[in-house]
Amino acid sequence: MSNPAISIIGTGFVGLCTGVGFASKGYQVTTSTHDPEKAALINSGVPPFYEPGLEKLLQKTVRDGRLKCVVDQEEAVLSTDLTFVAVGTPSLPHGGIDLKYVERAAHEIGEALGRKDSYHLVIMKSTVVPETTEKVLKPTLERESQKQCGIRFGLCMNPEFLREGSALHDTFYPDRVIIGEVDKESGETLERFYRDFYAEKMPPAIRTNLATAELIKYANNSFLATKISFINEIANICNKIPEADVKTVAEGIGLDRRINKRFLNAGLGYGGSCLPKDVDALVSHSKKCLRYEPQLLSAVVGVNSNQIDRAIQLARKTVGDLKGKRIAILGLAFKPETDDMREAVSIRIIKKLLSEGSEVVAYDPVAVSNARSLFKEAIQYADSAIECLKGADCCILTTEWEEFKKLKPKDFVQNMNNPALVDGRRIYNHEEFRKEMGFAAIGLGD
Ligand code: NAD
């Protein structure tokens, strides 16, 4: 199969960024969605979400006729050789994952495979708990297509590691490619494709079985979450020792190459579309399906959720009772360079403040429209950081956008009613803030 045509089921962050990445290297890519408005948007070169660099590359690939979006999944499968499944796997209330999109996609792909004569490879990219590809995707594909997996079509599990905010970079330069395979031909077909796509930049590839590939993704995100909760635990210990500074502790341990400095920023903890969902899913799957109590990961979740309460306590320490106080929230997105607010820490903080009777005003460089659909009129929205600070009694910084790093102590003092700051991402020099301006500026972990 040389220069295979590619279809991608699901055009969210993963599906669209991956599709645009493949199309930009000359592959013919058909993405698919059930939403005609979204398809029209993509076909006119407009991404349905914010991701740096995506709009430009999407426009180019659409203009060059390399990428299109269809609402007909059958057309997508029948006109291509490889189908990547990149549908959402959102959390269920008890922490497990909802497989309804995976099941529907499997059904649709299976039906199309039943009408296809030539070999086709299906690649699971969505994050799913171990054995889902084997026990959910594979039997559905076989049932709907009336074909045997491994003979008439192939199946791989190829977890995705891209980060929102640098999704295109990560698509072109991943640290590794993980290929879980039902049989050798499936794995070889996918590895050949990636060797062609990455050429001399081919990252290390690991070929394994489906369940191991699925678990690698969960282990990866659980480890990152563990690093974050670990440094937050150390920050909370530092908090009890007047002379101890968590930033320097993180620097000190981060220089140890076995540890490295990334994901050691103490603060409000992790949020976003992946870490909370994936750690919760692994904990829930271990307890419910594997009858194993994952003590370490349960503690990671606990430490993370406590950080929100700590931020609220700090705000209370600086301004007293929060009822009726005007609180400025700087940052709504779960991290900089994205407008994604799924499981963003800002949501939990705003909900707590509202329940305490505070008046909330928020600003984010790109996520305000997502916040509006979530909070509607319950909070106020500012057009700039300075406007957000105006008249506020306390500011809680929740996202470490570059533009917030440029704010000076005088910006807080001159604009706020009562200059008090809870630096939830520890982006400011607190000593300098406190010395120069003499107001309550405090970082989580100080
Ligand atoms: P998303 O919710 O942004 O996008 C999924 C899209 O699939 C939605 O637009 C949905 O409408 C569409 N969809 C659902 N069923 C469909 C079907 N049958 N046919 C066509 N479209 C369908 O999700 P995402 O953030 O892109 O994540 C996708 C998967 O990748 C998840 O399992 C996630 O855990 C994983 N993942 C996400 C990231 C990330 O940074 N967002 C990184 C790595 C892995």
Side-chain angles (χ1 to χ4, degrees), residues 9 12-14 34 38 89 108 127 160 164 274 277 342:
I9 308 298
F13 277 92
V14 170
H34 286 291
K38 193 175 182 185
T89 48
E108 292 163 345
T127 303
E160 180 54 59
E164 289 176 22
C274 288
K277 165 171 95 76
R342 285 178 286 183

Side-chain angles (χ1 to χ4, degrees), residues 8-16 32-35 38 49 70 73 85-90 100-106 108 125-128 159-164 217-218 221 273-274 277-278 334-335 340 342:
I8 302 189
I9 308 298
T11 45
F13 277 92
V14 170
L16 191 57
S32 93
T33 174
H34 286 291
D35 180 349
K38 193 175 182 185
F49 52 84
V70 299
Q73 334 304 316
V85 180
V87 300
T89 48
K100 67 172 183 258
Y101 301 116
V102 171
E103 282 163 357
R104 183 173 178 191
E108 292 163 345
K125 247 199 184 306
S126 300
T127 303
V128 286
E160 180 54 59
F161 299 94
L162 62 76
R163 296 161 299 170
E164 289 176 22
K217 173 68 193 177
Y218 280 100
N221 274 357
S273 62
C274 288
K277 165 171 95 76
D278 292 352
F334 85 89
K335 68 174 183 178
D340 196 347
R342 285 178 286 183

Side-chain angles (χ1 to χ4, degrees), residues 260-280:
N260 96 45
K261 66 179 184 187
R262 296 193 195 149
F263 280 71
L264 286 181
N265 299 325
L268 284 166
Y270 58 84
S273 62
C274 288
L275 292 198
K277 165 171 95 76
D278 292 352
V279 184
D280 287 353

Side-chain angles (χ1 to χ4, degrees), residues 1 27 185 187-197:
M1 208 187 282
Y27 294 92
E185 187 180 358
E188 250 146 44
T189 306
L190 187 56
E191 185 174 343
R192 216 176 305 123
F193 163 70
Y194 276 129
R195 286 199 179 279
D196 186 49
F197 174 68

